[in-house]
Amino acid sequence: MSQSSHLLSNDQLIEVFNLTHTATAVHVGENAVIQAANDAMLRIWGKDRSVIGKSLEDALPELKGQPFIDMFRKVWLEGLVIAGKDTAADIMIDGELKTFYFDFEYRAIKNGEGKTICILHTAIDVSERVLRQEAVEREREKAEALQREQALNEELAATVEELAATNEELVATNEELQETQETLHVLNNELELRVVERFNQLSESEKRFKTMAEGTDIFIAVGDENGSAIYFNKPWTVLTGRTMNDLLAFGWADLIHPEDREGYLNIYLSALAEKKAFTGEFRILTKKGDYRWLLANGPPRFHADGSFAGYISSCIDITERKLIELERLNLNKLIEASSEFIALARLDLSIQYLNPAALKKLGWANIVNRTILDCVFPADRPAAQKLLPGILQRINFRQEIRFWNEKTGNPFWIEWNGFAIKNEKTDEVTAIATVSPDITERKIYQEELQDINMEMAAANEELATTNEELAQTHEDLIQYTKKLADSEEKLLQAIDTGRMGTWSINPKTLEVTTSGFVKNLLGLPHDEPAKMETIIKAINPEYHNMLNAALENALNNHLSSDNEYPINNLITGEEKWVRATGRVFEDQHGNATEYSGLFIDITEQKLDELRKNDFIGMVSHELKTPLTAINGFVQVLQRKAKKDEDQYAIIALDKAHSQIRKMTTMINGFLNVSRLESGKLLIEKSNFNLDELLKETIEETYISQSSHQIILNPTCNVTLNADRDKIGNVISNLISNGLKYSDNGTRIEVTCKLHDTQVEIQIKDEGIGIKPDDIEKLFERYYRVQGNHTISGFGIGLYLSAEIIERHGGRIWAESEEGQGSVFHFTLPLS
């Protein structure tokens, strides 16, 4: 509902205008042309509405020679306020020129520039008051005359002539008194007739007001000079469900929304104190239990004598308008707060709007004289120029492309989604819009993930080789077991070579016998026999029940066992994972003679499996979190499109939502396809120039990241014998960490230093720094610095970097100060 639909017509304004008892007119120009006048003013002038549009002099010719025409001109030209009390004016009424007395005011009304736009003319007929005052004055004069007469009578007692003269004067005075009494009687009769007439007019006016108020949808209320309500129309009782008596007892104030109540009541009470008009918006509780927005306006009303009489306030329902405003405000806030690149361009490609995130990414101060092609990295503009014309044919596009920061000159990747904005009535394309997420980190992650996948593939190959070797070792062990069955000592030696030990339990005495390997693994003394209660202490308590059940099944049911569980060395406390296989040997009568088996160290295999599980969990979190956020935004836009009945947007967003579901399914399937395996890194060394590797790595970083300056300080020309790709991965990872944890526009410095037997590489950033407690753990597996979980990552980059450097015989470490940045160092031996 628009606000203009509630504006009153001229006839309605005049009808409301006529409700006031104060004679009021509006004049324009030096000649005081009558723009409007209420019935009270027309009655004073003795004219009808034919005078509207005439100058005051033409409408009331009898004012010529009186000061009023000149006063109007002076008010108009000088912007003054001229007022007077008990002022006499000769006005032609029914063809007879009569004298009336008025309290009047001519007030110049000005616009915002201080120019007079009209004159507000108000007048109150005080003729009755003036005449009464004159009659009182005459009575006073006559009383004084009587006093003088008494004095004269006393004086005339002395002489007859003086008495006669006094008697004559007394007779004359009596005659004047009689005439005055007759005149006063006539005036009293006229006054009584006028009072009756005014009362009848007031009653008729109140009837018309109530008829109008009860028949309108506008919420109308009347208050007295003390601010107390004396009337509410029917729409108020229908809306609130309260009776007139409840509302009159200030029962409307508690219905105002608590958040709006104090503010609106302050507006109302402040206006009441100054007897001026008020305007305010507030929410009010309806009988249905919901809140509706009302816009209230309250002009003051005055009695005929100019005294304040209270307010006639009117309210209109603006709920729909407020909801639209709120929805628009929320949408604007969402766009302004969005981290995505949001732009709107005209058909000539000039930019009409960019959200703050887009301006910051581009390094722009404003959009003046900018086109959408200015955003695109120069090398990618030919591709952009091919995409944009298709918008005019309603061909939307989605393209991964580079935009660039004009200040730093560095590009950044976005997923450029372009679509047309159409006129709802003509279906013509009116603008080009784009909502594009920054995918720079994703691009970096893809490269990192590709490197990780390559490393994992190499590790898998190495693990496969190890498994083959283990299988061959197992086969050899079987052969050795067959060949050395007659030699227990040789058998134990073979077992020890495979990082395995033996154990044996006597079924009758439960005495335990172990090999030296088992005692070393458990931290048992070599010069003492192993005891069951001591062994149990080294085993994780969570697995005690499982092992007791296996022992009971073996001794009672002669069942074999194969269990995996963690142990803690009783001396060092080091945790390891072991696999214990066991078998019961029987005599010829089927009695158990021995329960024995192998004790195998499977720590590396178990940790690989644990690393895989942790990795899957972190990948799942990292991939699903942004996808969930995108899904949320799409759902918000879907609701908005359905409410706006934008069919194109509805279809497009439904497709987007469908693709999100497919992607979610694909990710879940990917995460469950296979069990990730990891093993030792495969180092393939070759000779290469370190300077060239540093330059190539920095150039590759610039391709996918443009928000920082990467400075390569004077380097050392040296040839290394190492795994070039792996060392490149270390350098790239350390630079990427600096980019992640530094503000846009800061510097990353790469420096190379030569020492006697080694070369040192330093990567220095101006980022957030690292706490001292975190520095020692930075290079641990999956460790992430506390408090920085808003920055995505798996926490394996530094661990893998450390392992690569250590396997090259080098060293890696970090130095940092919180808030000042960090420096990462690593060394490599010279060939």
Side-chain angles (χ1 to χ4, degrees):
M1 184 182 296
S2 67
Q3 185 173 357
S4 61
S5 63
H6 297 296
L7 296 179
L8 301 178
S9 66
N10 287 337
D11 291 338
Q12 290 173 322
L13 284 172
I14 291 172
E15 185 175 356
V16 174
F17 205 37
N18 285 332
L19 293 178
T20 178
H21 300 301
T22 302
T24 308
V26 178
H27 304 266
V28 178
E30 293 183 30
N31 298 326
V33 174
I34 302 170
Q35 185 76 19
N38 65 356
D39 292 343
M41 183 63 80
L42 294 175
R43 283 196 296 273
I44 287 177
W45 290 343
K47 307 294 180 182
D48 56 23
R49 295 200 172 275
S50 63
V51 300
I52 303 301
K54 296 180 179 181
S55 68
L56 191 62
E57 187 174 349
D58 292 337
L60 285 80
E62 62 269 29
L63 294 182
K64 290 182 180 179
Q66 300 186 54
F68 305 103
I69 302 298
D70 291 335
M71 283 193 289
F72 268 97
R73 184 175 291 106
K74 187 176 183 64
V75 170
W76 176 267
L77 295 176
E78 298 181 20
L80 304 175
V81 176
I82 296 179
K85 290 186 176 295
D86 301 339
T87 304
D90 296 330
I91 299 176
M92 189 72 68
I93 303 297
D94 298 330
E96 181 181 358
L97 189 64
K98 296 182 179 181
T99 299
F100 294 86
Y101 296 88
F102 302 95
D103 289 345
F104 75 96
E105 182 184 88
Y106 302 153
R107 178 178 294 275
I109 305 302
K110 302 177 183 179
N111 60 15
E113 299 174 354
K115 182 179 179 181
T116 301
I117 58 174
C118 68
I119 298 174
L120 179 64
H121 173 197
T122 58
I124 300 174
D125 186 353
V126 297
S127 300
E128 297 162 351
R129 185 183 72 198
V130 173
L131 292 175
R132 186 179 293 118
Q133 288 176 349
E134 289 178 352
V136 171
E137 184 66 22
R138 285 195 295 273
E139 286 293 330
R140 186 184 61 79
E141 291 175 356
K142 288 180 180 179
E144 291 176 355
L146 287 175
Q147 291 177 357
R148 289 195 301 271
E149 181 183 1
Q150 290 176 0
L152 288 173
N153 286 334
E154 292 174 359
E155 292 176 0
L156 289 176
T159 62
V160 175
E161 292 180 358
E162 290 179 357
L163 180 59
T166 301
N167 287 335
E168 291 178 359
E169 184 178 350
L170 181 59
V171 171
T173 301
N174 287 334
E175 289 176 355
E176 290 178 1
L177 180 59
Q178 183 64 33
E179 291 176 359
T180 301
Q181 289 177 343
E182 291 177 357
T183 302
L184 185 59
H185 180 70
V186 172
L187 288 175
N188 286 335
N189 289 337
E190 291 180 357
L191 181 59
E192 290 179 358
L193 291 175
R194 289 189 180 186
V195 170
V196 172
E197 182 182 358
R198 290 292 176 88
F199 178 78
N200 291 335
Q201 290 176 352
L202 180 60
S203 299
E204 183 63 27
S205 176
E206 288 181 352
K207 290 180 181 178
R208 290 199 304 269
F209 172 76
K210 287 188 176 180
T211 301
M212 179 190 71
E214 295 299 322
T216 183
D217 292 334
I218 299 174
F219 302 91
I220 297 176
V222 180
D224 61 17
E225 64 275 12
N226 298 319
S228 299
I230 59 176
Y231 171 76
F232 285 91
N233 68 342
K234 184 177 180 180
W236 272 105
T237 60
V238 173
L239 177 70
T240 63
R242 293 190 174 180
T243 64
M244 174 75 76
N245 291 335
D246 291 337
L247 294 173
L248 292 178
F250 216 59
W252 58 275
D254 65 300
L255 295 175
I256 299 177
H257 194 285
E259 295 178 3
D260 305 334
R261 185 178 302 143
E262 182 177 356
Y264 178 73
L265 291 180
N266 285 339
I267 292 174
Y268 175 74
L269 295 176
S270 297
L272 178 65
E274 299 180 19
K275 300 178 177 56
K276 65 179 184 180
F278 67 88
T279 299
E281 295 179 354
F282 59 90
R283 287 165 288 179
I284 194 160
L285 183 65
T286 72
K287 65 180 180 181
K288 295 180 180 178
D290 60 345
Y291 282 93
R292 305 290 295 179
W293 276 97
L294 299 182
L295 171 62
N297 288 285
R301 59 191 182 97
F302 298 91
H303 294 299
D305 60 358
S307 61
F308 179 66
Y311 291 101
I312 299 178
S313 63
S314 61
C315 298
I316 58 175
D317 191 320
I318 59 170
T319 304
E320 296 300 325
R321 189 193 77 190
K322 293 294 289 188
L323 291 177
I324 293 173
E325 290 177 356
L326 182 61
E327 183 176 356
R328 185 181 294 111
L329 178 63
N330 289 337
L331 182 59
N332 288 340
K333 287 182 179 179
L334 180 64
I335 293 174
E336 291 293 314
S338 175
S339 61
E340 296 194 353
F341 191 103
I342 301 177
L344 187 67
R346 301 178 182 89
L347 297 184
D348 62 357
L349 303 185
S350 62
I351 295 179
Q352 186 175 353
Y353 169 79
L354 279 181
N355 68 331
L359 286 170
K360 183 177 180 181
K361 290 176 186 293
L362 295 172
W364 291 2
N366 54 62
I367 60 174
V368 177
N369 299 326
R370 297 284 192 174
T371 71
I372 196 69
L373 286 175
D374 293 335
C375 306
V376 183
F377 190 59
D380 292 352
R381 286 178 185 170
Q385 290 173 333
K386 294 179 181 179
L387 292 172
L388 290 170
I391 292 291
L392 301 179
Q393 281 75 43
R394 298 173 175 79
I395 302 175
N396 299 338
F397 63 81
R398 175 182 295 175
Q399 178 74 34
E400 292 185 358
I401 198 168
R402 288 176 296 175
F403 280 14
W404 68 311
N405 185 290
E406 201 170 75
K407 289 183 178 180
T408 64
N410 297 332
F412 58 92
W413 284 92
I414 69 165
E415 186 180 84
W416 197 16
N417 297 305
F419 54 91
I421 303 296
K422 297 183 292 184
N423 185 301
E424 294 183 357
K425 295 182 179 180
T426 64
D427 201 40
E428 294 181 355
V429 176
T430 59
I432 300 172
T434 176
V435 179
S436 307
D438 189 321
I439 60 171
T440 303
E441 288 194 7
R442 192 189 78 189
K443 282 286 189 179
I444 295 174
Y445 293 156
Q446 286 176 347
E447 295 174 1
E448 292 179 351
L449 188 60
Q450 184 176 2
D451 292 339
I452 291 173
N453 287 337
M454 293 176 63
E455 293 177 0
M456 291 181 64
N460 286 337
E461 292 178 1
E462 186 174 344
L463 183 60
T465 301
T466 302
N467 287 336
E468 291 177 359
E469 293 175 355
L470 184 60
Q472 183 62 45
T473 301
H474 182 66
E475 181 65 27
D476 293 342
L477 181 60
I478 294 175
Q479 297 298 324
Y480 290 150
T481 303
K482 292 179 179 179
K483 292 178 179 179
L484 303 177
D486 58 343
S487 176
E488 182 178 354
E489 181 179 355
K490 292 182 180 180
L491 176 61
L492 294 177
Q493 291 177 352
I495 292 175
D496 285 339
T497 60
R499 293 188 58 79
M500 294 180 287
T502 60
W503 58 271
S504 175
I505 299 176
N506 188 312
K508 296 181 180 179
T509 64
L510 297 183
E511 182 180 353
V512 180
T513 303
T514 65
S515 65
F517 175 85
V518 176
K519 288 185 176 181
N520 288 335
L521 207 58
L522 296 175
L524 301 176
H526 282 265
D527 55 350
E528 297 179 7
K531 296 181 180 180
M532 183 66 74
E533 58 269 24
T534 306
I535 294 174
I536 289 296
K537 291 180 181 179
I539 299 173
N540 190 303
E542 295 181 3
Y543 294 82
H544 287 179
N545 292 336
M546 177 191 74
L547 294 178
N548 288 332
L551 178 61
E552 183 177 352
N553 284 331
L555 299 181
N556 297 334
N557 304 318
H558 298 183
L559 297 178
S560 299
S561 62
D562 191 347
N563 300 301
E564 296 178 358
Y565 48 89
I567 63 170
N568 290 91
N569 189 285
L570 295 175
I571 297 175
T572 65
E574 181 182 10
E575 183 181 75
K576 287 184 175 294
W577 278 84
V578 298
R579 177 185 178 189
T581 62
R583 175 187 172 187
V584 175
F585 294 89
E586 302 173 344
D587 59 15
Q588 57 184 358
H589 303 292
N591 298 320
T593 60
E594 185 180 19
Y595 175 39
S596 61
L598 296 177
F599 200 79
I600 309 170
D601 184 355
I602 60 168
T603 302
E604 288 192 11
Q605 298 94 313
K606 199 65 178 180
L607 291 179
D608 285 343
E609 184 178 347
L610 293 176
R611 281 195 293 268
K612 174 210 65 178
N613 294 334
D614 291 342
F615 182 79
I616 289 176
M618 282 182 283
V619 169
S620 175
H621 174 74
E622 293 295 332
L623 293 179
K624 288 183 178 179
T625 298
L627 198 60
T628 301
I630 294 171
N631 191 38
F633 280 114
V634 169
Q635 290 177 355
V636 170
L637 292 174
Q638 280 180 313
R639 290 195 294 270
K640 174 70 171 57
K642 290 179 180 178
K643 188 171 184 179
D644 294 344
E645 297 183 354
D646 187 343
Q647 294 300 322
Y648 177 82
I650 291 173
I651 294 173
L653 290 170
D654 285 343
K655 290 181 178 179
H657 192 254
S658 176
Q659 293 301 318
I660 290 172
R661 290 198 304 269
K662 290 181 180 179
M663 188 176 293
T664 302
T665 302
M666 182 176 64
I667 290 172
N668 291 332
F670 166 75
L671 295 175
N672 294 313
V673 164
S674 65
R675 300 174 63 190
L676 295 176
E677 301 288 342
S678 83
K680 298 179 180 179
L681 290 175
L682 183 62
I683 304 298
E684 298 179 354
K685 294 185 177 182
S686 63
N687 294 327
F688 64 90
N689 185 277
L690 180 58
D691 282 0
E692 294 179 358
L693 178 60
L694 290 172
K695 292 176 182 178
E696 288 177 10
T697 305
I698 292 173
E699 289 174 359
E700 291 173 359
T701 303
Y702 264 127
I703 293 176
S704 59
Q705 175 62 255
S706 62
S707 56
H708 298 70
Q709 285 183 288
I710 304 178
I711 307 301
L712 179 59
N713 291 324
T715 58
C716 41
N717 188 15
V718 63
T719 298
L720 297 178
N721 181 257
D723 190 320
R724 191 179 193 276
D725 291 338
K726 296 294 189 299
I727 300 302
N729 288 341
V730 173
I731 298 170
S732 177
N733 181 64
L734 295 179
I735 293 176
S736 297
N737 276 351
L739 297 175
K740 285 183 186 179
Y741 293 92
S742 303
D743 293 334
N744 290 347
T746 57
R747 293 158 52 99
I748 305 293
E749 293 185 35
V750 181
T751 306
C752 175
K753 296 182 179 180
L754 272 177
H755 301 290
D756 292 338
T757 60
Q758 61 185 11
V759 62
E760 178 184 353
I761 294 90
Q762 298 179 0
I763 290 88
K764 179 180 180 182
D765 63 59
E766 299 175 349
I768 60 177
I770 306 169
K771 296 179 181 179
D773 293 340
D774 290 321
I775 287 184
E776 297 179 358
K777 303 177 182 178
L778 277 178
F779 302 98
E780 292 181 5
R781 188 183 297 114
Y782 307 128
Y783 183 78
R784 298 190 65 199
V785 174
Q786 298 297 319
N788 288 320
H789 296 307
T790 56
I791 301 175
S792 59
F794 298 141
I796 63 172
L798 292 178
Y799 165 72
L800 291 176
S801 297
E803 188 169 357
I804 291 171
I805 298 303
E806 289 173 4
R807 293 184 180 277
H808 279 81
R811 187 170 69 93
I812 187 168
W813 71 98
E815 299 172 348
S816 181
E817 182 177 352
E818 281 191 86
Q820 302 299 320
S822 305
V823 182
F824 282 83
H825 309 255
F826 69 89
T827 62
L828 293 171
L830 294 173
S831 42

